[in-house]
Amino acid sequence: MTPVLELRGIDKSFGPVQVLHDVAFSVYPGEVTALVGDNGAGKSTLVKCVGGIHPIDSGEYLFDGKPVQIHSPRDAADLGIEIVYQDLALCDNLDIVQNMFLGREHRRGIVLDEDTMEEMAARTLESLSVRTVKSIRQHVASLSGGQRQTVAIAKAVLWNSKVVILDEPTAALGVAQTAQVLELVRRLADQGLAVVLISHNMNDVFAVSDRIAALYLGRMAAQVKTAEVTHAQVVELITSGRSGDLGLTNGVTV
Amino acid sequence: MSATISPARKAEAPSISANVRGYAERVRGGDMGALPAVFGLVVLCTVFAVLRPSFLTAGNFANLLTQGAAVTVIAMGLVFVLLLGEIDLSAGFASGVCASILAILLTNQGLPWYVAVGAAILAGVVIGATLGSIVTKLGIPSFVVTLAAFLAFQGLVLLLIKGGTIIAIRDETILAVANKNLPPALGWGLLVAGVVAYAGLQLLRARKRAVRGLASDPISLIAVRVGALALLGGLAVYFLNVERSRNAAVVSLAGVPIVVPVIVVLLLIWTFVLRRTAFGRHLYAVGGNAEAARRAGINVDRMKISAFVICSSMAAVGGIIAASRASSVDPNTGGSNVLLYAVGAAVIGGTSLFGGKGRVLDAILGGTVVAVIENGMGLMGYSSGVKFMVTGSVLLLAAGVDALSRKRAAATGLR
């Protein structure tokens, strides 16, 4: 299987600080790839490079096997890469439909085509089996944390996206809501999307992911199949960059 | 994820009682909207009508509308800036600058009225673009930028009209705006056309949504809305069509003041922009969460600059109306309490000072409240000092209602 998104030898520095060293990262369609790593390992930077927010210094960026140039968030969005940030980026004073189409409204002439947008939003939420919202015309302010996360994810999949990157989607959620969001994450992958899940929570990672990519101090320590590793091995990869045969030796991937 | 929205539930038309209940819930939850302004208006009008019967005469009603028109129009523009959580303190004197330009071109240069009006509005656009650019590109808080502009424009008005002179306006068209009335028949005609168009649009929209299986407003609710519009509009037109002249044989004074349809047209245009276009949607988004708007690909700086442009252009229109009403422009046009009344009008109407919430209609409601206080207390013979203090208290009350309703809404999770 070819990865839908593949990065090779990515370097990224902010001034004198090199944050990413020779990072390789692959994401496959129909799978959930968990991106793990300790604070400061470079997860957010890597995701922002993927999303076009930070330009990469050097390295290859392949999409569907073809090299591409990403200069802005627009470029990434045009390829079908959507990022759901931790702070959700929803407008409290707008309703669910308005938020889902924000910046990409359908219009007829200069008039907003509310009916089409409402239909599409309802269909998307239905396809994700989202059934917790009372009305898709309610303001986002009135939603719970889990519902807001759901809206943010639905917004990302509305655009025939191929890769959806979720930055700590369960960090602020309770137990039941976490289960709901993880269920949704799994369903996205089952629909054929490539999902990247950034998480600190090993239970979440093992619950939904197919692959695990572990970053350690700006280097990719290992990319493994979830089924082939144990909980303890992943923790070791995160904390020391290696675990037995896996991981970095003197800073180089074996 | 166990509760369901079945397709059937989606198509179900919410009944009128469900609508009323939803509204009551929103109000309880802190989303008061225009309720305080409407309530205040009813109380004020009742009190003044009881204490001073002359308050309720047709002549005073028409007078009140033209009195408050300039402030109301400026407040309509301010709504756009307030929506983004910014403020424009210079709107009053911006209207003065634009009115001065209008007067100079009309009276001193003898140019036709449309050139003068165009130039005045263009001046508003330039002022707004400048203020907006300084706020966004330099990152100076709008409060400071527009405070500086407030002082500078005050000086500019003085320079433009050469010290303390007064420039009289003699152009018939400009004078007509705030001083002439529509023929009574035309007033009725416009009202009927407006009500029919409103009813037609509402029904058409409800039908289109029903055909697509989307939740639509029930006919009964539409009927109530159209009925209310027809009733209020009918009362207003009837009242304004009563002969107000003491000597009708010499000069007839009857009909809707021309400035009223002008304001209604502005209301329709800006409401359409805010509610039906992507631009309006983006304005609300920037006011609600600028970062989210930026990530959605909205150019936040451009939205802010446009809001300032709209605000200053509307100030220019307000200046033209003020010039028309006074039949002249002097160094005080747009000065003294104009700006404060305009900000007050927007906030009293229900526009949030915290951004993200507000309608152009709010400015009109608030503007009417301010005009009623000014007019009613004038009739009661109170001095300016008392009027200022009462208006100030009402503004504080309105801002307090806004802040408290936000708190309440945060507590109930509605905002």
Side-chain angles (χ1 to χ4, degrees), chain A residues 228-250:
Chain A
E228 292 166 2
V229 288
T230 63
H231 214 294
Q233 277 178 306
V234 176
V235 172
E236 251 185 293
L237 282 171
I238 292 172
T239 51
S240 61
R242 53 181 301 179
S243 170
D245 295 342
L246 289 169
L248 306 161
T249 1
N250 298 326

Side-chain angles (χ1 to χ4, degrees), chain B residues 18 32 53 65 165 180 243 265 307 364 382 404:
Chain B
M32 311 260 257
L65 291 178
T165 55
K180 289 270 160 55
E243 183 59 55
V265 167
I364 295 184
Y382 284 112
L404 284 178

Side-chain angles (χ1 to χ4, degrees), chain A residues 74 85 87-94 98 102-103 105 107-108 110-119 122 126 129-134 137 139 141-143 150 155 180-181 183-184 187, chain B residues 1-5 7 9-10 25 31 205 208-209 212-215 272 275-279 281-293 295-298 355-357 413-415:
Chain A
R74 249 315 113 159
Y85 292 96
D87 47 354
L88 298 178
L90 297 175
C91 292
D92 276 356
N93 58 338
L94 300 182
Q98 291 171 340
L102 190 59
E105 289 86 359
R107 20 190 141 165
R108 234 182 285 131
I110 55 162
V111 187
L112 292 171
D113 189 353
E114 296 284 356
D115 297 353
T116 304
M117 289 195 277
E118 196 169 323
E119 274 179 359
E126 216 162 301
S129 305
V130 175
R131 300 197 167 103
T132 48
V133 292
K134 221 169 27 183
R137 280 297 180 188
H139 280 194
S142 64
L143 300 179
T150 307
K155 178 182 178 183
Q180 283 175 8
V181 169
E183 207 180 300
L184 179 58
R187 219 173 294 130
Chain B
M1 298 203 178
S2 45
T4 50
I5 337 177
R9 171 127 169 243
K10 243 187 339 171
E25 251 169 49
D31 183 7
R205 184 152 161 264
K208 256 174 44 193
R209 288 179 61 88
R212 299 179 81 152
L214 299 166
F272 173 81
R275 296 188 56 103
R276 295 274 171 258
T277 68
F279 175 79
R281 181 67 42 84
H282 294 172
L283 269 178
Y284 280 109
V286 172
N289 185 344
E291 179 58 19
R295 287 190 198 158
I298 295 167
K357 187 173 142 252
L414 269 173
R415 188 162 234 285

Side-chain angles (χ1 to χ4, degrees), chain A residues 18-77:
Chain A
Q18 191 167 0
V19 183
L20 297 178
H21 303 260
D22 192 26
V23 168
F25 184 47
S26 306
V27 180
Y28 297 85
E31 293 192 353
V32 177
T33 306
L35 181 59
V36 298
D38 216 339
N39 290 341
K43 302 185 299 286
S44 296
T45 307
L46 179 59
V47 164
K48 284 178 177 160
C49 288
V50 170
I53 291 171
H54 297 324
I56 52 177
D57 294 345
S58 64
E60 283 181 277
Y61 192 126
L62 300 162
F63 195 82
D64 272 339
K66 288 184 281 291
V68 288
Q69 298 290 325
I70 302 285
H71 298 294
S72 73
R74 249 315 113 159
D75 294 343

Side-chain angles (χ1 to χ4, degrees), chain B residues 36 62 93 127 173 220 304 330 339 413:
Chain B
F93 274 113
I127 289 171
T173 318
S220 49
K304 283 195 180 171
D330 62 57
L339 169 86

Side-chain angles (χ1 to χ4, degrees), chain A residues 99-177:
Chain A
N99 263 293
M100 284 174 71
F101 283 86
L102 190 59
R104 298 185 264 198
E105 289 86 359
H106 279 255
R107 20 190 141 165
R108 234 182 285 131
I110 55 162
V111 187
L112 292 171
D113 189 353
E114 296 284 356
D115 297 353
T116 304
M117 289 195 277
E118 196 169 323
E119 274 179 359
M120 285 178 70
R123 220 177 302 139
T124 303
L125 287 170
E126 216 162 301
S127 77
L128 296 173
S129 305
V130 175
R131 300 197 167 103
T132 48
V133 292
K134 221 169 27 183
S135 154
I136 55 174
R137 280 297 180 188
Q138 74 191 107
H139 280 194
V140 163
S142 64
L143 300 179
S144 72
Q147 288 173 326
R148 294 164 71 95
Q149 189 72 51
T150 307
V151 171
I153 294 172
K155 178 182 178 183
V157 300
L158 188 60
W159 305 99
N160 293 320
S161 28
K162 293 181 172 150
V163 179
V164 175
I165 302 174
L166 305 166
D167 188 2
E168 305 240 16
T170 59
L173 302 184
V175 177
Q177 295 186 333

